[in-house]
Amino acid sequence: MSRDFAVARRRMVQEQLQGAGIADRNVLQAMAAIPRHRFVPRVFQHRAYEPCALPIGYGQTISKPFTVGLMTALLELQGSERVLEVGTGSGYQAAVLGRLSAEVVTVERIVPLALRAARELAAGGADNVTVVPGDGSGGLADRGPWQAIIVTACAPGLPEAMARQLQPGGYLLVPILHDGEQVLYRYRRCGDELAVERGTVCHFVPLLPGLEAQQHA
Ligand code: SAH
């Protein structure tokens, strides 16, 4: 079985990542090494290397391999960064980031998902990744600033608080709802300014507002 997974994983990297234009060697190596099947529920393990998102329970999904590869490559990590991820989900994206940076803190509002991800990450030896259960819609100011921030849920607009927690030169990667379509945006802090690049159309679950915001809605 684990040999089957290894074969499927190699094909995933060749066909879904390299074949689709992802050339960053570090990203390819990380995704070739990390057992994606461990991050999906047992009933879906045999489909872990297919080119699609999969349910992980609680109405959430693990993103398809191409999306994880693309977003990771867009962060252009050098290895020394402290990275914030909002939307831990399965923990797979965090595991990939952990291989390519110094430290990852990842926030998940659904506590059972956060606990399951933390368990898998620990079992896989990702000891530079910390899962924080709770609301990450405002970033995580008390542990910032961050050299990179990645949001793996779709925000209604630029998350201003996260932008403020970004170090100069750092990227904030976030899907934003725009004219009924989700678009991946990459912001970069340059002094007091934010440079913005518009990327591809994408499909994520919504980034939910914090409890306080929900109470006032
Ligand atoms: N990166 C994940 C996939 C993300 S699914 C992976 O590799 O599997 C998006 C996740 O964002 C969901 O688990 C959802 O619960 C979480 N989420 C949505 N709004 C959030 C918020 N305000 N704070 C923290 N997590 C949030």
Side-chain angles (χ1 to χ4, degrees), residues 9 12 29-37 39 49 92 95-97 99:
R9 189 158 60 244
M12 172 195 84
Q29 272 168 16
M31 291 181 67
I34 295 168
R36 180 174 161 93
H37 60 277
F39 293 88
Y49 297 98
Y92 177 68
V96 175
L97 295 169
R99 283 209 157 224

Side-chain angles (χ1 to χ4, degrees), residues 46-182:
H46 64 291
R47 298 188 53 198
Y49 297 98
E50 291 181 8
C52 54
L54 291 169
I56 53 172
Y58 308 92
Q60 309 303 320
T61 53
I62 177 175
S63 306
K64 66 179 172 183
F66 175 75
T67 303
V68 175
L70 176 72
M71 289 181 81
T72 310
L74 283 170
L75 288 177
E76 295 177 6
L77 297 169
Q78 305 299 308
S80 58
E81 295 88 351
R82 294 185 65 246
V83 181
L84 173 67
E85 181 194 29
V86 178
T88 314
S90 66
Y92 177 68
Q93 171 76 74
V96 175
L97 295 169
R99 283 209 157 224
L100 301 173
S101 63
E103 188 191 349
V104 178
V105 178
T106 177
V107 191
E108 172 55 57
R109 60 184 287 282
I110 299 176
V111 175
L113 280 181
L115 296 177
R116 195 166 74 196
R119 203 172 53 233
E120 280 318 321
L121 286 158
D127 49 17
N128 62 340
V129 181
T130 309
V131 183
V132 177
D135 169 40
S137 58
L140 211 54
D142 56 343
R143 297 184 68 164
W146 307 96
Q147 274 109 40
I149 302 178
I150 172 174
V151 185
T152 58
C154 184
L158 166 67
E160 307 267 358
M162 291 187 211
R164 282 194 296 272
Q165 294 162 33
L166 202 56
Q167 277 201 344
Y171 284 127
L172 162 62
L173 199 58
V174 54
I176 295 178
L177 198 59
H178 197 91
D179 289 339
E181 238 177 14
Q182 294 188 13

